[in-house]
Amino acid sequence: MSRLLLLLAIAAVVYILYQRARNQPPHKRRAEYIKLGLAVAVVVVIGLTLTGRMHWVGAALTGLLVAMRQLLPTLVRLFPMLSSLKSRAGQGGPQQSTVETEVLRMRLDHGNGNLSGDVLKGPYQDWYLDEMDRDQLDELMAYCQQQDADSAQLLQGYMEQRFPGGAGDTGTGQQQGNGGSDGGMNRREALSILGLDESASDDDIVAAHRTLMQKLHPDRGGSGYLAAKINEAKDFLLG
């Protein structure tokens, strides 16, 4: 009877961990499933070893699995970092502009003008926008409209690019031309918006501004909010 209760308890814990993994953003699920699989394997090996059904090799494998489970989070974080460093080294410099609001962090690829981003808070925290479908983005838009107007305007620019002609009912209207600025921009933020580093000259700032405006100007179907932020960043940096 006690053995049955133990098995039921283990099954319940595994189910809870599985549901937790399913609720993670898609790009995090694989790592969670791997950790869950290792945990189950450790439990099985320990059980077989304690009941005498597995040789001492089982205990060694258990130790190895435990060590792997402890190292996995570090490896999961390390591989993207190495990939990012390799990518930056190959590019020879920043190739993205970054705009951050209370709810969102948005990136603009200088090469193709595509927007991508991730959610910083709210019901979809840690999700990538590219992982979300239209219904999820609409739900996020409703949250942004309640929490932060800048985030709503930024998200609308992304949705207008991803769903051409289909994001006009978000309720943000045409108020995005002012950029939603509260006058609190600093040099680091301004450089990030233009995709520049601290060594950027005035000529670099002007050139980056011109290139980005060609890709994002509202008259060319771009985001009015991002265009306003780019103008604000240039004005701040050039004084």
Side-chain angles (χ1 to χ4, degrees), residues 33-55:
Y33 287 147
I34 291 174
K35 288 192 287 186
L36 177 59
L38 286 175
V40 171
V42 168
V43 171
V44 170
V45 171
I46 290 176
L48 292 176
T49 303
L50 292 178
T51 57
R53 297 180 182 179
M54 179 172 286
H55 196 260

Side-chain angles (χ1 to χ4, degrees), residues 1-41:
M1 183 66 179
S2 60
R3 183 173 300 179
L4 177 61
L5 291 176
L6 178 60
L7 290 175
L8 290 175
I10 293 175
V13 171
V14 170
Y15 177 77
I16 291 173
L17 293 177
Y18 172 72
Q19 291 298 323
R20 178 183 175 185
R22 284 189 61 188
N23 291 331
Q24 292 292 315
H27 67 277
K28 291 186 176 182
R29 287 177 191 164
R30 178 177 294 182
E32 292 297 322
Y33 287 147
I34 291 174
K35 288 192 287 186
L36 177 59
L38 286 175
V40 171

Side-chain angles (χ1 to χ4, degrees), residues 11-158:
V13 171
V14 170
Y15 177 77
I16 291 173
L17 293 177
Y18 172 72
Q19 291 298 323
R20 178 183 175 185
R22 284 189 61 188
N23 291 331
Q24 292 292 315
H27 67 277
K28 291 186 176 182
R29 287 177 191 164
R30 178 177 294 182
E32 292 297 322
Y33 287 147
I34 291 174
K35 288 192 287 186
L36 177 59
L38 286 175
V40 171
V42 168
V43 171
V44 170
V45 171
I46 290 176
L48 292 176
T49 303
L50 292 178
T51 57
R53 297 180 182 179
M54 179 172 286
H55 196 260
W56 62 268
V57 175
L61 289 175
T62 301
L64 179 61
L65 287 171
V66 171
M68 289 178 61
R69 187 178 185 280
Q70 294 298 322
L71 289 174
L72 185 62
T74 301
L75 294 175
V76 168
R77 290 193 298 268
L78 181 61
F79 283 130
M81 289 173 59
L82 293 176
S83 177
S84 176
L85 290 174
K86 180 178 178 182
S87 176
R88 290 183 182 180
Q91 291 172 347
Q95 297 296 314
Q96 291 185 332
S97 294
T98 303
V99 177
E100 188 170 317
T101 62
E102 181 181 337
V103 181
L104 300 172
R105 181 188 297 114
M106 196 75 70
R107 289 171 291 274
L108 169 68
D109 189 300
H110 289 198
N112 54 30
N114 288 339
L115 293 170
S116 61
D118 51 283
V119 184
L120 302 178
K121 62 176 290 187
Y124 289 100
Q125 183 174 349
D126 295 332
W127 281 59
Y128 294 155
L129 295 180
D130 291 346
E131 297 172 337
M132 302 170 66
D133 59 29
R134 180 59 190 270
D135 290 339
Q136 292 170 324
L137 288 169
D138 285 340
E139 182 180 346
L140 178 61
M141 174 62 78
Y143 175 81
C144 290
Q145 290 172 342
Q146 294 177 354
Q147 299 294 322
D148 180 53
D150 285 357
S151 300
Q153 293 171 21
L154 193 59
L155 181 58
Q156 177 160 338
Y158 169 83

Side-chain angles (χ1 to χ4, degrees), residues 156-175:
Q156 177 160 338
Y158 169 83
M159 294 179 68
E160 286 174 347
Q161 184 182 85
R162 183 169 166 185
F163 308 106
D169 58 348
T170 57
T172 59
Q174 300 300 319
Q175 59 185 343

